[in-house]
Amino acid sequence: YFPIKKEDFTGQGLSLTVKGLLGGHSGGEIHKQRANSNKVLVRLLNEIRKENELRIISIVGGIKDNAIPANSTAQIIAKDAAKAEETAKKLFEIIKKEYSVQDPDMQLEISKTDVKTAYTKELTDNIIDYLMTVPDGVIKMSMDMENLVETSLNNAILKEANDNLMIITSTRSSVESELDDLLDRLQIFAKTFN
């Protein structure tokens, strides 16, 4: 989790929602390489911040720890909302093509919002950096059994609770040592981004 710290930030508010993904059970359908709405949303935020100063107001996604998230929403404040919207739409069309077979009904909705208080720059950057770099999906296929996912993880839920942004990740492996290794790596990721 990330402790929530807020500050005033001058800009224009936007709400971005990635929806319409198929999702599915993270144990039984992770091998289908479907998009994770939390990861798609953060790709959009990362692209926006390359040329536009932004702060996250709130970010939520996913409903169950054993389900690939199908809907995610971020409210942000951007210095230039028109440019942020254009950037998000442009990258979204590219992502939609990447997942045209697995998630043909993926959609992006953008609307204006009016909020002046947002996460700090450090917190905004840490959240985006963490979610951009943390692994997601199939980590390893079994060499013993054909088409069996041996190790996987699912960045399942983003939600605010008790003044923290919670990132709930579901990990699975049929090999205990690989699960231990994956959990160790996740702890290192978390430490790296505070």
Side-chain angles (χ1 to χ4, degrees):
Y1 65 89
F2 290 92
I4 293 174
K5 297 174 186 170
K6 294 192 174 184
E7 65 186 7
D8 290 337
F9 183 72
T10 303
Q12 301 157 309
L14 288 177
S15 178
L16 292 83
T17 298
V18 174
K19 66 179 196 172
L21 284 67
L22 289 171
H25 192 277
S26 63
E29 297 175 295
I30 201 129
H31 67 286
K32 294 181 179 177
Q33 304 288 321
R34 292 178 180 161
N36 176 318
S37 61
N38 293 336
K39 295 287 275 186
V40 171
L41 181 62
V42 168
R43 278 181 71 183
L44 300 178
L45 299 182
N46 185 59
E47 191 69 16
I48 291 168
R49 79 172 171 170
K50 289 179 183 178
E51 298 179 1
N52 202 331
E53 195 171 349
L54 74 85
R55 300 289 186 277
I56 295 172
I57 299 167
S58 67
I59 184 166
V60 296
I63 54 173
K64 293 182 179 179
D65 64 357
N66 65 351
I68 301 164
N71 300 290
S72 301
T73 298
Q75 290 189 322
I76 65 167
I77 301 174
K79 282 288 185 189
D80 184 340
K83 188 173 185 178
E85 184 171 350
E86 179 185 332
T87 299
K89 285 179 176 177
K90 185 176 178 181
L91 179 59
F92 183 76
E93 288 307 312
I94 293 168
I95 295 170
K96 196 170 175 179
K97 286 178 185 172
E98 292 173 4
Y99 289 98
S100 61
V101 174
Q102 307 96 307
D103 273 299
D105 299 322
M106 186 188 303
Q107 299 169 43
L108 173 64
E109 285 184 356
I110 301 176
S111 60
K112 290 182 175 30
T113 186
D114 187 28
V115 179
K116 300 295 180 208
T117 304
Y119 296 174
T120 63
K121 177 175 179 9
E122 179 183 19
L123 179 58
T124 294
D125 286 341
N126 282 343
I127 291 165
I128 294 171
D129 290 347
Y130 176 82
L131 287 167
M132 281 295 295
T133 56
V134 71
D136 187 73
V138 174
I139 302 299
K140 186 177 179 187
M141 297 296 290
S142 172
M143 295 293 107
D144 298 323
M145 297 182 67
E146 191 173 340
N147 297 320
L148 175 69
V149 176
E150 190 167 277
T151 305
S152 68
L153 77 124
N154 174 41
N155 293 285
I157 301 173
L158 301 172
K159 69 176 184 178
E160 287 187 13
N162 303 318
D163 296 322
N164 293 301
L165 176 68
M166 310 293 290
I167 301 175
I168 300 170
T169 302
S170 173
T171 56
R172 298 174 185 272
S173 184
S174 57
V175 178
E176 188 175 343
S177 61
E178 288 185 10
L179 182 59
D180 290 342
D181 176 62
L182 185 55
L183 292 171
D184 285 345
R185 286 192 280 156
L186 286 174
Q187 286 184 340
I188 292 167
F189 266 109
K191 285 180 189 174
T192 302
F193 299 104
N194 297 320

